[in-house]
Amino acid sequence: MGTQSQVVDRLRSAFLSGVTIPEQFRQTQLTKLMSMIKDNEEQILDALHKDLAKPKFEAIISEVDIVINELHYAITNFTSWMQPEYVGKNLATKLDDCFVRREPLGVVLIIGPWNYPLQLLVSPLVAAIAAGNCAVIKPSEVSAATDSLIAELIPKYLSQDCFAVVRGGPEETKVLLQNRFDHIFYTGSQTVARSILQAASVHLTPVTLELGGKCPCFIYGQANIAGAARRLVWAKFFNAGQSCVAPDFVLCSQSTRDALLPALRETLEEFYSKAPQKCPDLSRIVSPRHWTRLMELLGRSNGKVVLGGESNQEDKYIAPTVVVDVAEDDALMEEEIFGPILPILTVESLEEGISFINRREKPLALYVFSEDSSVIKTVLEKSSSGGFCSNDGIVHMSLPTLPFGGVGASGWGSYHGRWGFETFSHRRGCMLRGWALERINSLRYPPYTEENLNWLRWTTSAKRSCTLM
């Protein structure tokens, strides 16, 4: 545990010195982080291409620009987020200063995943810095090129006393988790999340879990089939389906499915050509192990492959694949797919679709495609999911003013913009009292009388609150 605990100790003494508290320090670190991304864009794109064969277009919008936007938003707004928030008062506290102070938690740990190895590691870091914390960041060893690039760049740009990168696989992470942190922010799988929670419980450390889940795309009622096909294909096969908010499966009626299939075929050809393996716009599966897992899932499925299905192990390639006649208990429905395989299941009524969604664990995102706003409203009101988006996929998570996070099995807590700042802050309730109004105070002192009790109840009653303007 030697070196890792030394790193944590170094960061803790920096935090206790108060260096991260001033607005100026946070501003400087956020600006330097911005420079890190902008100065090294080519290297970042190169690393992402090595790890996942990410097309430049996808890497820019989902890794580089989304982080830059997050940084801009934080830099512009964090000063106002830091201000004390004054609260309403009652008669007994009329002369006091009553406010909520946002304070940094201390030394936080951020563990990133391999699918968006820059965005999902740096976005939480932006929030942690804006809130005034020190941070240990642990990139995923699976996306090796990005892992080593981040380890090289962070110490060059950010304060080494306050921010450190720790590298390694499951064993190193296990040792790292034995240290006491003030918050742990983890993005990844439910299985690993359980062991993180166990490690955190030893120190009573609060945890934010950004997990996945099988995000449904429910197409119901009148729908623009051509538009639905394009948006669905883009959201599903972006990053070769390796997105925690990718539509995991489609629910629709048999007649909608029959109309959708030719549109999907046409769209896939239009997006990725007749020879998708040669198309530069399609990412690859991250590793041979992940490729094997996906091919085994597909092999165990009793559904019928109607589009795609081709694969090449050496190239870690799986064609965009659509599977029909999939039952609710099919292999493809057991776990989050996290790859370019799209099962279509049929339901014939709105109620049947909603009940199908509600029988399963709560997803990170729920998508409804329909031209009928009452369908969208009904699904929204009768379901639960981390986020919700109608007539599109993935895009809701690009807006920094919306909280991004799961519910139930898809995670706890949220971030992006102000929501991330709140995640990495302690909201301290403060009351600053003077020595006035001792007459009112004396009502609470012994010897107790019925009369004093009645007066005291009157002065502290919520009905008589004096809201401070």
Side-chain angles (χ1 to χ4, degrees), residues 305-335:
V305 173
V306 286
L307 296 171
E310 304 79 18
S311 64
N312 179 313
Q313 185 165 14
E314 207 181 325
D315 189 20
K316 297 184 294 213
Y317 166 76
I318 297 176
T321 299
V322 177
V323 188
V324 297
D325 301 335
V326 175
E328 191 174 349
D329 61 357
D330 191 86
L332 288 172
M333 297 303 289
E334 285 169 10
E335 56 184 273

Side-chain angles (χ1 to χ4, degrees), residues 1 176-181 184 197-206:
M1 227 167 116
L176 179 63
L177 285 163
Q178 288 168 13
N179 292 284
R180 185 175 73 79
F181 291 97
I184 297 171
L197 273 179
Q198 280 178 325
S201 71
V202 176
H203 302 289
L204 294 178
T205 298

Side-chain angles (χ1 to χ4, degrees), residues 50 80 92 134 162 190 220 296 319 353 359 379 399 407 458:
K50 278 194 189 118
S80 67
C134 288
C162 303
Q190 283 145 350
Y220 191 79
E296 282 174 357
R359 273 199 299 280
V379 181
L399 186 65
V407 59
W458 186 77

